[in-house]
Amino acid sequence: VDSGRMPETTGDINDDSSVDVLDVLLVVDLLLNGGFDSYDACADINSDGNLDVMDIINLVSIILDNS
């Protein structure tokens, strides 16, 4: 994972060219265990300056809208 650059697709937190449950799990892990400094911008799905449960909800919504 190249966390130093923004993903091309909104919600593709792990930059694997797919928005899926792996991205959700990464955001949950970042919330629970910290270490999200390098992921702040791309994991902050709603761009409110905070990494929180709303970002997870928005990410799940993106995944469901794409299915």
Side-chain angles (χ1 to χ4, degrees), residues 5-63:
R5 70 179 190 87
M6 293 293 290
E8 293 182 25
T9 304
T10 300
D12 184 16
I13 310 306
N14 62 0
D15 199 21
D16 67 352
S17 300
S18 179
V19 180
D20 54 26
V21 69
L22 296 176
D23 298 296
V24 175
L25 291 174
L26 179 55
V27 175
V28 169
D29 184 60
L30 292 171
L31 279 171
L32 294 177
N33 299 313
F36 49 79
D37 293 337
S38 60
Y39 288 95
D40 272 348
C42 60
D44 183 15
I45 303 297
N46 61 0
S47 301
D48 67 352
N50 297 305
L51 187 59
D52 54 28
V53 71
M54 291 307 299
D55 297 301
I56 296 171
I57 291 169
N58 287 321
L59 182 55
V60 170
S61 179
I62 289 169
I63 292 168

